[in-house]
Amino acid sequence: MSRTARSVERLDGLWVGVMAAVALMGVRLLHMQVVRHAYYAEVAERQRTQVIAQAAPRGRVYDRNGELVATNQPAFSLIYLPGKSQDPSRLVGLANSLARELHRDRDELLELLREAVHEESAIHLAENLPLKTMFKLSELKTLYPGVDLIVEARRSYPNGAFAGHLLGYMGKMDRRAWRRLKDKGYRVDSWVGRAGVESRYEDVLRGVDGEIRMEVDAQGRLRRRLDEVPWQAGGNIYLTIDARIQKAVEEALRASPSGEGAAVVLDPRSGEVLALASVPDFDPNMLLLPQWDEAKKAVGSLPEFNRALQGTYAPGSTFKVVMDAMLLEERKAALGDRVFCPGYLSVGNRVFKCWEKKGHKSMDFMAGLANSCDVYFYTMGLRAGGALIERYSKLFGLGRKTGIDLPGERSGNIFGPEARKARKRGWYEGDTANLSIGQGELLTTPIQMAVVAASIANKGTLWKPRYIKRLERRGERNAEDPASEPAGRIALRPEVWDLVREAMVAVVRTGTGQRVNIHEVVVGGKTGTAQNPLGGDHAWFIAWAGRPDEEPSVALAVLIQHGGHGSSAAGPVARKAIEAAFDLASAKGAAPAGAPPAAVIDELPPETLPDPHPAVPAPRAPAPAAKPGARTAPQPKPAAPEQGADLYSEDEL
């Protein structure tokens, strides 16, 4: 091959190489300009802009009358905008300065700063800052590029510790939750509802965060605002709670003998919750502190235990209203049936005492409930039998959850022969005596007893308690008004309901519940003092109330833990609730003019102590059922027991 031919061949090879290189560059440019255009445009944009998330206002929460109970207020947040390059030593210096001003852990802040640099995105370092702290932090803007302050909406509870267990509280999202919810628009430092309404209706209350796109220089300093996407506020919620009743109940609970307890007030016509309180309570604002470490400490000591739904207690004598309904409906007792109460009743070789040591003497149906005579109910309970009492306990909704739309509700515990059989244990007449006065293994919650009181007030409907009046969801025109939902029906004869209600009115007017006698309204109630093996007795009061010649519009249950007497400890809380519900002044609560004076009685629990190894009692046939309307002669007074002969059921509490 000639030299010329070889030169032409080399030139052709060179051209082929050049063309290949040009083709490769063209493909690369095509890839960058077309295929990866969006990616590289974003990278380029990120070099000169930063997107700052702006928290949207959360939906407001109102009571049934439009009083604001949860809202928002403007607050300053500290953010950090990482620049193109960051000197690690400057990050350490910034972390040290922020730790002093924010009173937070320096290593934790440094980790947040490094994360922001790694992610090349703005991050919130502190929120809800007070003015004093804000002015101090503003000085850092001149020393450390990338530090800035913005205004955001932050949750606020104007009434402080008001309905805390119902409203719930806010908290920062943890990383596990964020990984699960990040596709729904949550940031890693978003605030979310952690309990109560705030948590249960997070999807309604949460708004859509806005964005501010800012131009920044290489050091992360803000230059100018480019544009923004406005936030969208969350939806509003109207509760069935009446703020007047709620406040009255909370104040009365805090002023009770122990300062520990719960109260539930319902509208018996619909099951709407008018008040739900548990003390000790908490102020949700304490969990919105600018120093999140302090807020976390507050969460650690938060009295989250909701006694209204989660506390289980023996109902004591409040259970006697269930007994009365059973005795009348099953015709196990008539109004004129009399029982002689000497202060105790012998059952086999055991002695069960009445709370009135001297005895109530001769008691009939009305007097038995009005005076809460234990011997009357021991006798009638033995006549009816434990299985029947257990069946009516279930009929009135005990032993199962009411179904209120809040987490953590407990079902309590049913006590009876069937429940014992399921645990392969025996049942004795002493157990029936215990159950007849609401003692033993029977456990109820305050909200269950409020439902019981409401069912007597409305003559048989067991409502599923609800606390939502209206939901106004974001972006939807029509509000959602949840309907009341019956959870069951107690089918008793109409005259039975009338007589039970009449007996409860007698409790308030002449019996153990006179502290709640309010002459402007008709009140029916029942006191209870339940034994507590771990400390002081628990005080109960259940009631319903209504205007004269109108159906009852309020039903309630009050429990004072370790409060002692139902009348003196729980009664005043019930009275305050009823006065608030009917807008009555306390001074107007005197007994009606012309009413005969009667001593106010504090019911005490029977003096019972558990015997760890009781003897099995000899079987004894219960007294035969009396015919309707029949009267029985007073029982002869039995011989007094010997000293120290107090014997009780193996499971009595």
Side-chain angles (χ1 to χ4, degrees), residues 25-39:
M25 291 178 63
V27 171
R28 180 62 176 166
L29 286 172
L30 180 66
H31 178 76
M32 294 175 64
Q33 294 293 328
V34 179
V35 179
R36 299 295 302 277
H37 172 76
Y39 170 77

Side-chain angles (χ1 to χ4, degrees), residues 96 164 314 422:
N96 290 333

Side-chain angles (χ1 to χ4, degrees), residues 378-515:
Y378 291 146
T379 304
M380 293 302 178
L382 290 167
R383 178 184 294 183
L388 188 59
I389 303 174
E390 181 181 16
R391 181 161 69 84
Y392 270 76
S393 300
K394 296 176 181 177
L395 190 64
F396 274 81
L398 304 183
R400 67 174 185 266
K401 298 176 182 179
T402 66
I404 189 171
D405 189 19
L406 285 172
E409 183 186 8
R410 297 181 66 180
S411 60
N413 186 63
I414 282 292
F415 181 38
E418 185 179 330
R420 277 282 183 83
K421 184 178 179 181
R423 296 196 293 271
K424 298 182 179 179
R425 297 173 62 189
W427 182 263
Y428 309 103
E429 283 195 328
D431 298 315
T432 301
N434 270 337
L435 178 56
S436 300
I437 63 166
Q439 291 288 168
E441 298 169 13
L442 180 64
L443 296 175
T444 62
T445 62
I447 196 168
Q448 284 177 332
M449 295 310 296
V451 170
V452 168
S455 70
I456 295 173
N458 63 42
K459 299 184 179 181
T461 301
L462 292 170
W463 289 109
K464 178 181 176 180
R466 67 180 180 93
Y467 57 88
I468 297 296
K469 190 77 172 175
R470 171 171 292 188
L471 297 174
E472 296 178 344
R473 296 181 182 272
R474 171 176 42 83
E476 295 184 8
R477 280 188 174 183
N478 298 324
E480 179 182 338
D481 299 327
S484 297
E485 182 182 342
R489 177 73 189 170
I490 308 170
L492 306 184
R493 288 175 285 124
E495 59 269 25
V496 171
W497 293 118
D498 292 337
L499 289 170
V500 173
R501 283 174 34 163
E502 184 181 341
M504 293 180 71
V505 171
V507 169
V508 172
R509 291 184 175 173
T510 63
T512 59
Q514 294 178 63
R515 282 183 171 87

Side-chain angles (χ1 to χ4, degrees), residues 20 22 125 189 196 244 246 277 395 427 531 547 566 609 634:
V22 170
L125 295 173
D189 55 359
R244 291 180 308 168
Q246 182 74 27
L395 190 64
W427 182 263
Q531 291 180 319
R547 298 279 185 187
L609 295 173

